[in-house]
Amino acid sequence: MQIGEVAARTELSLRTIRHYEETGLVIPSARSQGGFRLYTEADVARLMVIRRMKPLGFTLDEMRDLLDVTDRLDSDEELTADERATLLKRVRGYEQGAAEQVEKLRTQLTRAEEFAATLRERLARDQAATT
């Protein structure tokens, strides 16, 4: 699929997808005869991983590292038990980091909802007083 379809499916801008290509995070699997970038479902899946990591504060280097780790785990490459354990430990570290960020976001959301409720109550009190 071409970059426009990928952008629509991932809800990422064309500029963002090109930036991720420039940084080496996601390289289009092919180019058309006209030179257009062509992406596969695997490329879209990589972009979705990146899209999910970004709001959790992961850096581009961390995104690259996790993608490299999962690529190795998913490849046909023979891994020793120690290599597999090391890779899985790295994935576990990212999972723990994600869980910590999710908890922080939950706290922020709760505070934001409380603030919005306070404002609604204030507006309701003022509206009741003027009617």
Side-chain angles (χ1 to χ4, degrees):
M1 67 196 91
Q2 291 187 0
I3 193 169
E5 183 181 346
V6 171
R9 288 185 55 189
T10 61
E11 299 177 348
L12 295 169
S13 69
L14 299 176
R15 183 176 177 200
T16 297
I17 294 170
R18 288 185 188 114
H19 174 69
Y20 291 151
E21 178 184 353
E22 290 167 8
T23 61
L25 284 173
V26 176
I27 306 297
S29 291
R31 293 256 181 186
S32 70
Q33 288 183 345
F36 294 105
R37 295 166 175 85
L38 296 175
Y39 296 86
T40 63
E41 289 297 329
D43 298 329
V44 171
R46 288 176 73 84
L47 284 165
M48 292 303 292
V49 168
I50 295 164
R51 193 186 93 182
R52 290 175 180 128
M53 290 180 80
K54 183 112 176 87
L56 297 177
F58 289 101
T59 66
L60 292 177
D61 286 338
E62 289 170 326
M63 293 174 193
R64 184 177 297 104
D65 181 56
L66 179 61
L67 291 167
D68 289 345
V69 167
T70 56
D71 285 348
R72 286 197 62 203
L73 287 168
D74 294 342
S75 75
D76 293 333
E77 176 186 353
E78 288 283 329
L79 298 172
T80 67
D82 285 345
E83 289 172 325
R84 180 169 293 284
T86 298
L87 293 172
L88 290 172
K89 181 178 179 182
R90 285 167 58 190
V91 172
R92 205 168 292 111
Y94 286 108
E95 186 277 329
Q96 290 170 347
E100 290 169 9
Q101 285 304 113
V102 166
E103 192 55 39
K104 287 179 185 177
L105 289 170
R106 278 194 183 108
T107 300
Q108 287 178 342
L109 179 58
T110 298
R111 289 179 182 153
E113 288 171 336
E114 290 168 351
F115 176 64
T118 300
L119 294 175
R120 279 191 302 276
E121 290 169 10
R122 172 61 192 241
L123 290 170
R125 272 196 324 264
D126 286 350
Q127 186 177 14
T130 59
T131 54

